[in-house]
Amino acid sequence: MLTARAPRISTLAGLREALTRRAGPEAADWLAAATREIGAQPAALHRHFPEAGRRCGRGALEPAEETDRADQADAPAEADGLPAGLAWTVDDAARALLLAAVPLRGAELAARASAVYHEGDAAERRGVLRALSLLDVGEHALPLVRDALRTDDARLLAAALGPYAARNLDPHTWRHAVLKCLHRSIPLAAVDGVVRRRDGELRRMACDYAVELTDAGRPVPSDLWFLTGHLPRS
């Protein structure tokens, strides 16, 4: 069974609304001042970006919008959603809004995002990856997604496979990223567009992996059965 995705943040307004509900007035004031400064002086991003967790908090972000129902129309839902640490956090939201305040677009904005990504720790990198679907960067930020997919950090993998990757990542890389999630026990609920983008080749790869697990006497996870298109044997 494919666990229901945590609702996605699809607009900056929705992200700002969610953050307002979770962060206090001091955090809101800091973020407003920081975004104004970044809008006037983009280099200020490098100073404010690492501060977001301390200034705004690091807890889970309450979703502002409903899940894209069309994307999981044939995916049974469970109430628990994503495990802790794989969904948006308050500092993710703050960092996304800081990046969105940079008055650049395309390759220039992607370069700025890449700079704070490579300068930052895991939480800062996750914030960049979360922000990508909300930034006007075209395909210029795909190197960041590919970098995150080479790690074994479940939080980075989940953040990398958001709406930006679902729209822009090539089929070969995306399929292997999905299989890596299964290898790392990351629920497919963390992968945006998995219902829409699964295809015959991914089904074949999933079947091969299911056979490998079965031959080794290991259980086949329910998400893997979902990808194969078969029901588990009773």
Side-chain angles (χ1 to χ4, degrees), residues 111-221:
R112 187 72 66 171
S114 180
V116 292
Y117 175 92
H118 288 293
E119 291 168 0
D121 60 16
E124 291 163 51
R125 293 185 174 202
R126 189 184 68 234
V128 173
L129 295 167
R130 294 279 188 212
L132 293 181
S133 64
L134 302 169
L135 304 178
D136 185 4
V137 292
E139 296 185 357
H140 297 291
L142 279 173
L144 301 182
V145 174
R146 295 191 178 102
D147 179 82
L149 294 179
R150 288 192 289 268
T151 75
D152 288 321
D153 187 321
R155 297 168 301 171
L156 288 182
L157 289 170
L161 290 171
Y164 181 80
R167 291 196 303 265
N168 296 295
L169 201 60
D170 66 275
H172 175 81
T173 305
W174 186 84
R175 292 186 200 107
H176 282 274
V178 171
L179 264 292
K180 184 170 184 176
C181 285
L182 293 175
H183 281 284
R184 300 292 300 166
S185 300
I186 299 170
L188 294 186
V191 181
D192 197 90
V194 68
V195 172
R196 182 175 68 254
R197 288 200 62 173
R198 61 178 177 170
D199 57 12
E201 178 61 15
L202 181 58
R203 184 175 293 110
R204 183 197 64 76
M205 294 166 67
C207 287
D208 288 348
Y209 184 39
V211 169
E212 178 185 328
L213 291 175
T214 301
D215 288 348
R218 297 167 58 192
V220 177

